[in-house]
């Protein structure tokens, strides 16, 4: 009996030490900078739904326009091509176009059918061209914040159907892992205290919480949690009321060097973009004159491209340096 109790104590202490090893407070940001938006008039697209940056190509999707895909050259914002129609034809969108982020130069687009992801490349004329490769998914799910890893795995946020991050092997078309989060008794997934958003690079999954000041980092290969960043901030969730909750992380991008988390904070104050490295160290915090709630980042050139629906006729461009 004594040996049994001693073993339980050791297991408890081991668990506590392990917990402390991966959890750390969010460091004070050593640098802060105010970014001023340069507004670029949009002639073609209205109210972008999604945005994707590949080298000098900025891709925009919009389900409400006649054309649903737009390709621009940046930083000039010259329109290269507009395409994509809604319909039931072979190359038409039955749903709406949604980009799957990846670290490769290829472009992956979901929405031609509820079960299809198409892979595209850029030809010599810079236009987006179908590669001939389709990924047929086994079934429809709540596909949100979709990411393709090394042309082999699909990782996505399954909210609102499940409070989980799912990993699908695209070769076998089977689920090969998931990260499940604790749900609340009220059953309304939009107001679960553990609801969050997902971003992925080829080795790390970032999960930033909407209703608390917390970011979790997982390894792609085995889905293990290796770092938890926790900051100060009170939770406020009013079930059924989107306007009076305290929102923390509302947008998230995984870059090659850093990841970028847009945080509102208590009383939904003016949003700031928090930049971290993949060991969880705070790098820099950006404030904005106009907040880009939809954005992509060119790390190499130090440019952020964004959009704010309050300025619906404009793209926004910011110099990060």
């Amino acid at each position: 009996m004594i040996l049994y109790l001693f073993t339980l104590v050791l297991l408890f202490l081991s668990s506590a030490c392990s917990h402390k090893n991966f959890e750390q407070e969010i460091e004070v940001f050593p640098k802060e900078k105010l970014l001023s938006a340069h507004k670029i008039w949009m002639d073609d697209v209205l109210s972008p739904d999604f945005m994707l940056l590949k080298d000098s190509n900025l891709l925009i999707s919009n389900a409400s326009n006649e054309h649903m895909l737009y390709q621009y050259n940046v930083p000039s914002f010259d329109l290269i091509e507009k395409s994509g129609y809604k319909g039931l034809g072979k190359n038409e969108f039955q749903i709406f176009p949604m980009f799957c982020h990846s670290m490769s130069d290829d472009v992956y687009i979901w929405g031609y059918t509820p079960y299809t992801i198409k892979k595209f490349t850029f030809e010599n004329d810079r236009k987006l061209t179908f590669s001939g490769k389709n990924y047929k998914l086994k079934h429809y799910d709540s596909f949100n914040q979709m990411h393709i890893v090394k042309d082999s795995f699909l990782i996505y946020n399954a909210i609102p159907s499940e409070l989980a991050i799912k990993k699908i092997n695209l070769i076998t078309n089977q689920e090969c892992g998931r990260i499940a989060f604790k749900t609340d008794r009220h059953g309304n997934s939009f107001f679960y205290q553990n609801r969050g958003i997902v971003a992925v690079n080829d080795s790390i999954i970032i999960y930033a919480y909407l209703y608390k000041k917390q970011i979790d980092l997982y390894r792609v290969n085995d889905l293990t949690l290796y770092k938890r960043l926790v900051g100060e901030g009170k939770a406020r969730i009013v079930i059924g009321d989107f306007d009076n909750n305290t929102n923390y992380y509302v947008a998230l991008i995984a870059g090659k060097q850093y990841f970028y988390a847009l945080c509102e904070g208590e009383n939904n104050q003016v949003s700031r973009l928090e930049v971290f490295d993949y060991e969880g160290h705070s790098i820099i915090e950006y404030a904005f004159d106009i907040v880009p709630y939809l954005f992509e980042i060119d790390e190499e050139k130090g440019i952020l491209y964004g959009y704010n629906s309050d300025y619906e006729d404009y793209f926004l461009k910011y110099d990060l340096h």
Side-chain angles (χ1 to χ4, degrees):
M1 182 65 180
I2 294 175
L3 179 61
Y4 174 73
L5 291 174
F6 180 70
T7 303
L8 286 179
V9 170
L10 285 179
L11 288 172
F12 175 79
L13 291 175
S14 175
S15 175
C17 289
S18 175
H19 181 78
K20 289 180 180 178
N21 284 339
F22 68 71
E23 183 172 309
Q24 69 182 50
E25 291 185 7
I26 294 176
E27 302 167 347
V28 174
F29 287 91
K31 297 179 182 178
E32 295 184 4
K33 183 177 180 179
L34 174 64
L35 299 180
S36 297
H38 175 58
K39 297 193 288 291
I40 298 99
W41 178 264
M42 291 191 293
D43 288 324
D44 301 283
V45 64
L46 296 174
S47 301
D49 297 320
F50 301 100
M51 182 181 290
L52 182 70
L53 181 67
K54 293 290 182 181
D55 192 25
S56 60
N57 298 283
L58 183 65
L59 302 170
I60 302 293
S61 72
N62 186 300
S64 60
N65 286 9
E66 178 185 5
H67 294 93
M68 303 176 78
L69 287 176
Y70 297 80
Q71 180 186 350
Y72 293 88
N73 175 262
V74 288
S76 66
F77 280 92
D78 294 328
L79 179 66
I80 297 174
E81 186 178 33
K82 52 186 176 181
S83 61
Y85 293 94
K86 188 172 181 63
L88 299 177
K90 182 178 179 181
N91 295 312
E92 296 177 329
F93 287 100
Q94 294 182 19
I95 315 295
F96 55 85
M98 182 163 59
F99 303 119
C100 304
H101 282 75
S102 76
M103 294 290 107
S104 74
D105 295 329
D106 299 313
V107 174
Y108 302 86
I109 303 176
W110 173 87
Y112 289 94
T113 78
Y115 319 100
T116 305
I117 297 173
K118 288 189 175 186
K119 180 180 177 180
F120 295 82
T121 60
F122 295 102
E123 293 298 319
N124 294 332
D125 61 0
R126 298 185 303 172
K127 288 185 179 180
L128 197 64
T129 304
F130 179 48
S131 70
K133 189 169 185 178
N134 283 326
Y135 297 92
K136 296 292 186 180
L137 303 176
K138 192 172 184 179
H139 57 79
Y140 174 75
D141 202 353
S142 297
F143 296 120
N144 288 289
Q145 299 126 41
M146 303 171 77
H147 298 76
I148 303 289
V149 175
K150 297 180 180 178
D151 208 32
S152 299
F153 298 98
L154 168 66
I155 298 175
Y156 64 95
N157 190 350
I159 196 79
S161 63
E162 294 181 66
L163 192 60
I165 301 169
K166 295 185 180 181
K167 180 181 178 182
I168 306 296
N169 186 318
L170 292 173
I171 299 172
T172 64
N173 205 12
Q174 298 292 324
E175 182 178 322
C176 57
R178 66 170 60 195
I179 302 165
F181 301 91
K182 184 179 179 181
T183 61
D184 301 326
R185 288 185 176 182
H186 57 72
N188 189 329
S189 60
F190 290 103
F191 298 95
Y192 284 156
Q193 62 179 335
N194 286 327
R195 181 185 171 190
I197 51 178
V198 175
V200 183
N201 68 13
D202 282 348
S203 57
I204 306 299
I205 299 170
I206 307 108
Y207 188 74
Y209 290 75
L210 176 61
Y211 296 123
K212 53 186 172 182
K213 183 78 169 178
Q214 181 176 313
I215 299 173
D216 293 346
L217 304 180
Y218 298 85
R219 302 194 188 281
V220 165
N221 59 349
D222 59 7
L223 304 184
T224 56
L225 175 67
Y226 78 91
K227 188 73 67 174
R228 171 167 289 161
L229 308 177
V230 180
E232 295 181 357
K234 297 179 180 179
R236 174 180 166 79
I237 305 174
V238 182
I239 310 302
D241 187 348
F242 287 98
D243 296 326
N244 292 302
N245 292 311
T246 297
N247 296 327
Y248 286 95
Y249 293 106
V250 296
L252 186 65
I253 291 288
K256 292 181 179 179
Q257 288 183 289
Y258 306 118
F259 66 91
Y260 305 79
L262 189 65
C263 183
E264 289 186 348
E266 292 184 48
N267 302 318
N268 295 336
Q269 61 192 19
V270 176
S271 301
R272 290 175 175 264
L273 185 65
E274 300 175 354
V275 184
F276 301 89
D277 68 17
Y278 287 100
E279 292 302 316
H281 299 300
S282 299
I283 303 301
I284 189 170
E285 183 180 58
Y286 295 107
F288 300 92
D289 60 345
I290 302 174
V291 179
Y293 289 104
L294 183 66
F295 64 91
E296 283 285 299
I297 292 176
D298 187 330
E299 287 186 315
E300 185 176 334
K301 296 177 182 176
I303 300 174
L304 185 151
Y305 299 101
Y307 175 75
N308 182 315
S309 60
D310 290 337
Y311 299 81
E312 63 179 5
D313 295 325
Y314 297 93
F315 289 116
L316 304 173
K317 176 186 169 188
Y318 308 80
D319 181 5
L320 299 178
H321 294 153

